[in-house]
């Protein structure tokens, strides 16, 4: 089954062709990062306009690369939530038009379910059930994936997402948006013990996380040093932040493994590219005898191949939509009725 898949929830326009949920025939991305960099973050209005310009030629390019004609497509999958509403609407509208014109089923896909499915593309042997640590720019949660479309949220952040925390600190340090990857690079070789940063616990809720205290502490530390005319040891601070975020994530993940008894663990989302988190997750999984799955860096960030993968399983579960499909800025991963 060949699925044309569309992703436009933030600042990447992406179109892919995926066969039977596992085989990527084409995966095309047009990134807007260079434009938003000028403003220090995503400007929603500009994002929507850039998606409009990019989406049609990108779809054409994806079909050419895949060597698949329009007549050889079997369905159209699209991210319908969550994201910047104007941005998501562009992809949804394009997908609706394509499904109507080609008389194909339309499959709505939740963006975070897509991130989890990136693991199916990288690891042909991976099948549910498994536990997944989702860490992206806007979301941080522990998801029990009982089946391809049946999930439970075991815990998550009460305030900032891990990516938000990395990006805000990176921005105050003068790194261009989105600073997560740059902060990760800076952290290499830094002395993580030089700065003491808080590690928050959520009272009465041992699988939940909180990153706003850590973010504020790191930013205050930078401002205080600047006011006193002192230099900040950037690699040391980046290493301390990475260690604090990673240890919060890994400790909750380990507890969730213990509670659920799952023997397989996946990680997903843009922040799953972080080298410290990958290293610490791997070590913990080895210690516990748990098999760990991580997408390659190219499939951690936003892409449409992951939407095509999850779209296949949503289709098999009967989750299709008609031309009344809408886009949503926020929506639970649990899959309410559309
Ligand atoms: O999943 P994603 O592409 O978009 C959302 O769905 O939010 O995640 C983007 C996030 C950004 O916050 C970016 O800074 C972060 O992933 N990121 C990283 C790294 N690479 C990307 N954060 C930490 N370390 C990295 N190596
Ligand atoms: Zn994402």
């Amino acid at each position: 089954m060949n699925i044309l898949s569309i992703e436009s929830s933030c600042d990447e326009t992406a179109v892919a062709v995926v066969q039977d949920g596992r085989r990527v025939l084409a995966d095309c991305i047009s990134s807007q990062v260079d434009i938003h960099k000028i403003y220090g973050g995503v400007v929603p209005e500009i994002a929507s306009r850039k998606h409009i310009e990019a989406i049609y030629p990108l779809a054409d390019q994806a079909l050419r690369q895949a060597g698949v004609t329009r007549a050889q497509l079997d369905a159209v999958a699209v991210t319908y939530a969550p994201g910047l509403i104007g941005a998501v609407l562009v992809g949804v509208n394009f997908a609706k038009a394509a499904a109507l014109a080609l008389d194909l089923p339309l499959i709505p896909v939740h963006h975070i379910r897509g991130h989890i499915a990136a693991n199916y593309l990288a690891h042909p042997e991976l099948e549910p059930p498994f536990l997944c640590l989702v860490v992206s720019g806007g979301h941080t949660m522990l998801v029990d994936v009982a089946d391809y479309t049946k999930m439970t949220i075991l815990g998550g952040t009460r305030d900032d997402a891990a990516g938000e925390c990395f990006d805000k600190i990176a921005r105050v340090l003068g790194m261009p948006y989105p600073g997560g990857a740059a902060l990760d690079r800076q952290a290499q070789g830094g002395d993580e013990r030089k700065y003491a940063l808080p590690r928050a616990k959520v009272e009465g809720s041992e699988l939940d996380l909180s990153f706003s205290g850590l973010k504020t502490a790191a930013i205050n530390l930078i401002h205080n040093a600047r006011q006193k005319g002192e230099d900040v040891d950037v690699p040391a601070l980046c290493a301390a932040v990475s260690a604090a975020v990673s240890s919060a994530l890994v400790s909750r993940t380990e507890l969730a493994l213990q509670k659920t008894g799952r023997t397989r663990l996946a990680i997903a989302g843009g922040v799953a590219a972080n080298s410290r988190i990958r290293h610490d997750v791997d070590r913990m999984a080895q210690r516990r005898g748990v098999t760990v799955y991580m997408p390659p860096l190219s499939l951690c960030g936003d892409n449409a191949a992951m939407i095509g993968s999850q779209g296949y399983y949503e289709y098999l579960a009967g989750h299709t939509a008609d031309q009344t499909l809408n886009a949503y800025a926020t929506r639970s991963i649990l899959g309410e009725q559309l």
Side-chain angles (χ1 to χ4, degrees), residues 20-79:
D20 298 332
R22 297 274 178 166
R23 208 169 141 230
V24 182
L25 302 184
D27 186 15
C28 301
I29 300 186
S30 164
S31 176
Q32 308 173 2
V33 162
D34 286 341
I35 300 160
H36 298 294
K37 236 179 212 165
I38 306 165
Y39 305 95
V42 181
V43 183
E45 163 97 13
I46 297 176
S48 308
R49 290 173 187 275
K50 289 291 157 194
H51 285 310
I52 288 268
E53 288 171 11
I55 201 158
Y56 185 87
L58 208 62
D60 233 16
Q61 186 190 332
L63 286 177
R64 256 183 288 119
Q65 251 182 42
V68 165
T69 64
R70 292 177 190 191
Q72 289 169 324
L73 289 172
D74 299 297
V76 182
V78 63
T79 300

Side-chain angles (χ1 to χ4, degrees), residues 7 9-12 111-112 115 135-139 162-167 177-185 268-275 277 297 300-303 306:
E7 156 64 41
S9 65
C10 191
D11 56 356
E12 331 268 3
H111 181 77
I112 300 299
H115 272 302
V135 270
S136 76
H139 295 81
E164 232 169 297
C165 176
F166 278 131
D167 291 351
Y177 166 85
L183 188 149
D184 187 8
R185 278 192 299 276
V271 183
N274 182 269
S275 58
I277 296 171
L297 300 195
C300 285
D302 291 346
N303 65 84
M306 67 188 198

Side-chain angles (χ1 to χ4, degrees), residues 307-323:
I307 302 302
S309 175
Q310 183 62 24
Y312 175 70
Y313 295 104
E314 298 289 349
Y315 178 81
L316 293 185
H319 300 163
T320 56
D322 62 22
Q323 287 290 322

